């Protein structure tokens, strides 16, 4: 794996990065500051449509939410590619933040967020191992079940 680039790993995984989603309010998709790249929260959009809506612990099964976290991470990576031009400029995935729309009694947040974390490691190798926070929230934009944001060290 060390001899392959993040783009080659994406190809091996069968992932074609989408055009990054345009912001829906007064913010930008990504900001570079010094050696850091911050990516705004990304929803699980597939061909411009949400993969799933609703809440975990109610209408959204965990397995579907794991897939939604993975698609959210694909959209995070698309923002990184758009900002940097070359994913090999990522020195480290520093932190991922996950937001899970759920009922108050839902407790499997970590399992859901592994959909994003596992993809970060698959694409960036050891540099994809990151710190992480995952929190349950009462709602997300467009009634999405999952949202993922990222912080990257770049060179």
């Amino acid at each position: 794996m060390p001899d392959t680039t993040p783009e080659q790993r994406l190809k091996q995984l069968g992932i074609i990065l989408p055009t990054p989603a345009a912001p829906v309010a007064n913010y930008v998709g990504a900001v570079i500051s010094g050696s850091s790249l911050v990516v705004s929260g990304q929803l699980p959009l597939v061909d411009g449509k949400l993969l799933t809506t609703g809440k975990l612990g109610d209408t959204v099964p965990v397995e579907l939410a794991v897939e939604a976290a993975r698609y959210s991470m694909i959209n995070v990576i698309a923002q990184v590619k758009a900002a940097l031009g070359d994913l090999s400029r990522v020195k480290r995935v520093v932190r991922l933040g996950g937001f899970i729309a759920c009922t108050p009694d839902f407790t499997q947040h970590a399992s859901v967020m592994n959909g994003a974390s596992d993809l970060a490691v698959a694409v960036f190798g050891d540099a994809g191992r990151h710190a992480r926070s995952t929190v349950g929230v009462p709602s997300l934009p467009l009634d999405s079940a999952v949202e993922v944001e990222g912080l990257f060290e770049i060179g």
Side-chain angles (χ1 to χ4, degrees):
M1 192 142 118
D3 294 353
T4 58
T5 67
E7 276 92 354
Q8 290 169 328
R9 291 183 203 125
L10 283 169
K11 187 173 183 179
Q12 291 167 354
L13 293 166
I15 296 171
I16 297 171
L17 293 178
T19 300
V24 298
N26 188 16
Y27 64 94
V28 294
V31 171
I32 296 173
S33 179
S35 61
S36 295
L37 170 66
V38 180
V39 177
S40 296
Q42 300 295 303
L43 302 178
L45 295 170
V46 180
D47 297 325
K49 296 185 173 105
L50 281 175
L51 178 66
T52 185
T53 60
K55 292 184 177 29
L56 279 288
D58 185 20
T59 59
V60 180
V62 170
E63 298 77 21
L64 181 56
V66 170
E67 188 178 350
R70 184 176 187 272
Y71 274 103
S72 294
M73 187 63 194
I74 288 170
N75 292 320
V76 166
I77 295 169
Q79 292 284 355
V80 172
K81 173 81 173 168
L84 301 178
D86 181 358
L87 293 177
S88 294
R89 288 187 57 200
V90 172
K91 289 185 173 183
R92 180 84 193 216
V93 180
V94 176
R95 179 187 177 280
L96 294 179
F99 304 93
I100 314 299
C102 60
T103 59
D105 59 339
F106 182 77
T107 61
Q108 297 178 51
H109 307 77
S111 296
V112 170
M113 191 57 184
N114 281 344
S117 293
D118 292 349
L119 185 60
V121 174
V123 172
F124 295 103
D126 283 340
R129 299 194 184 282
H130 53 274
R132 177 176 99 179
S133 294
T134 306
V135 297
V137 297
S139 68
L140 287 168
L142 307 176
D143 196 30
S144 180
V146 177
E147 182 174 358
V148 176
E149 64 183 11
L151 173 63
F152 299 81
E153 178 185 1
I154 59 173

